[in-house]
PDB file of all heavy atoms in Angstrom:
ATOM      1  N   LYS A  92      92.596  94.669  78.508  1.00 75.00           N
ATOM      2  CA  LYS A  92      91.194  94.913  78.870  1.00 75.00           C
ATOM      3  C   LYS A  92      90.980  96.293  79.459  1.00 75.00           C
ATOM      4  O   LYS A  92      90.052  96.997  79.087  1.00 75.00           O
ATOM      5  CB  LYS A  92      90.736  93.859  79.880  1.00 75.00           C
ATOM      6  CG  LYS A  92      90.562  92.511  79.234  1.00 75.00           C
ATOM      7  CD  LYS A  92      89.533  91.681  79.960  1.00 75.00           C
ATOM      8  CE  LYS A  92      89.447  90.331  79.287  1.00 75.00           C
ATOM      9  NZ  LYS A  92      90.490  89.394  79.796  1.00 75.00           N
ATOM     10  N   GLU A 125      85.564 100.049  69.943  1.00 78.00           N
ATOM     11  CA  GLU A 125      84.878 101.291  69.576  1.00 78.00           C
ATOM     12  C   GLU A 125      85.486 101.942  68.344  1.00 78.00           C
ATOM     13  O   GLU A 125      85.159 103.068  67.988  1.00 78.00           O
ATOM     14  CB  GLU A 125      84.910 102.294  70.734  1.00 78.00           C
ATOM     15  CG  GLU A 125      83.999 101.915  71.861  1.00 78.00           C
ATOM     16  CD  GLU A 125      84.566 100.753  72.660  1.00 78.00           C
ATOM     17  OE1 GLU A 125      85.809 100.611  72.693  1.00 78.00           O
ATOM     18  OE2 GLU A 125      83.783  99.972  73.219  1.00 78.00           O
ATOM     19  N   GLU A 190      96.714 106.182  89.237  1.00 83.00           N
ATOM     20  CA  GLU A 190      95.352 105.745  89.523  1.00 83.00           C
ATOM     21  C   GLU A 190      95.511 104.392  90.188  1.00 83.00           C
ATOM     22  O   GLU A 190      95.549 103.356  89.534  1.00 83.00           O
ATOM     23  CB  GLU A 190      94.563 105.622  88.206  1.00 83.00           C
ATOM     24  CG  GLU A 190      93.067 105.654  88.376  1.00 83.00           C
ATOM     25  CD  GLU A 190      92.551 107.025  88.813  1.00 83.00           C
ATOM     26  OE1 GLU A 190      93.079 108.040  88.324  1.00 83.00           O
ATOM     27  OE2 GLU A 190      91.645 107.069  89.647  1.00 83.00           O
ATOM     28  N   SER A 195      92.650 101.952  97.056  1.00 78.00           N
ATOM     29  CA  SER A 195      91.238 101.958  97.423  1.00 78.00           C
ATOM     30  C   SER A 195      90.832 100.619  98.022  1.00 78.00           C
ATOM     31  O   SER A 195      90.107 100.559  99.019  1.00 78.00           O
ATOM     32  CB  SER A 195      90.378 102.211  96.186  1.00 78.00           C
ATOM     33  OG  SER A 195      90.655 103.479  95.678  1.00 78.00           O
TER      34      SER A 195
ATOM     35  N   LYS B  90      80.623  99.185  80.064  1.00 75.00           N
ATOM     36  CA  LYS B  90      82.014  98.928  79.658  1.00 75.00           C
ATOM     37  C   LYS B  90      82.967  98.906  80.836  1.00 75.00           C
ATOM     38  O   LYS B  90      83.781  98.008  80.966  1.00 75.00           O
ATOM     39  CB  LYS B  90      82.471  99.995  78.667  1.00 75.00           C
ATOM     40  CG  LYS B  90      81.819  99.808  77.329  1.00 75.00           C
ATOM     41  CD  LYS B  90      82.668 100.351  76.213  1.00 75.00           C
ATOM     42  CE  LYS B  90      81.929 100.171  74.907  1.00 75.00           C
ATOM     43  NZ  LYS B  90      81.022 101.303  74.610  1.00 75.00           N
ATOM     44  N   GLU B 123      84.159  87.399  80.264  1.00 78.00           N
ATOM     45  CA  GLU B 123      84.989  86.413  80.970  1.00 78.00           C
ATOM     46  C   GLU B 123      84.153  85.340  81.649  1.00 78.00           C
ATOM     47  O   GLU B 123      84.663  84.535  82.422  1.00 78.00           O
ATOM     48  CB  GLU B 123      85.883  87.085  82.010  1.00 78.00           C
ATOM     49  CG  GLU B 123      87.022  87.879  81.411  1.00 78.00           C
ATOM     50  CD  GLU B 123      86.519  89.167  80.779  1.00 78.00           C
ATOM     51  OE1 GLU B 123      85.485  89.682  81.251  1.00 78.00           O
ATOM     52  OE2 GLU B 123      87.144  89.637  79.820  1.00 78.00           O
ATOM     53  N   GLU B 188      86.532 106.166  93.502  1.00 83.00           N
ATOM     54  CA  GLU B 188      87.617 106.066  92.516  1.00 83.00           C
ATOM     55  C   GLU B 188      87.312 107.150  91.504  1.00 83.00           C
ATOM     56  O   GLU B 188      86.616 106.931  90.515  1.00 83.00           O
ATOM     57  CB  GLU B 188      87.582 104.674  91.867  1.00 83.00           C
ATOM     58  CG  GLU B 188      88.867 104.268  91.223  1.00 83.00           C
ATOM     59  CD  GLU B 188      89.972 104.010  92.238  1.00 83.00           C
ATOM     60  OE1 GLU B 188      89.678 103.482  93.321  1.00 83.00           O
ATOM     61  OE2 GLU B 188      91.128 104.352  91.961  1.00 83.00           O
ATOM     62  N   SER B 193      91.951 112.888  88.939  1.00 78.00           N
ATOM     63  CA  SER B 193      93.259 112.699  88.316  1.00 78.00           C
ATOM     64  C   SER B 193      93.374 113.513  87.047  1.00 78.00           C
ATOM     65  O   SER B 193      94.403 114.142  86.780  1.00 78.00           O
ATOM     66  CB  SER B 193      93.468 111.230  87.956  1.00 78.00           C
ATOM     67  OG  SER B 193      93.456 110.462  89.122  1.00 78.00           O
ATOM     68  N   GLN B 204     102.213 124.233  81.696  1.00 76.00           N
ATOM     69  CA  GLN B 204     103.378 124.012  80.835  1.00 76.00           C
ATOM     70  C   GLN B 204     103.245 124.801  79.538  1.00 76.00           C
ATOM     71  O   GLN B 204     104.203 125.396  79.052  1.00 76.00           O
ATOM     72  CB  GLN B 204     103.474 122.527  80.487  1.00 76.00           C
ATOM     73  CG  GLN B 204     103.950 121.678  81.632  1.00 76.00           C
ATOM     74  CD  GLN B 204     105.307 121.084  81.350  1.00 76.00           C
ATOM     75  OE1 GLN B 204     105.687 120.927  80.191  1.00 76.00           O
ATOM     76  NE2 GLN B 204     106.055 120.797  82.380  1.00 76.00           N
TER      77      GLN B 204
END
Side-chain angles (χ1 to χ4, degrees):
Chain A
K92 288 208 182 85
E125 287 74 28
E190 200 69 39
S195 296
Chain B
K90 288 207 182 87
E123 288 73 28
E188 200 69 37
S193 297
Q204 286 247 336

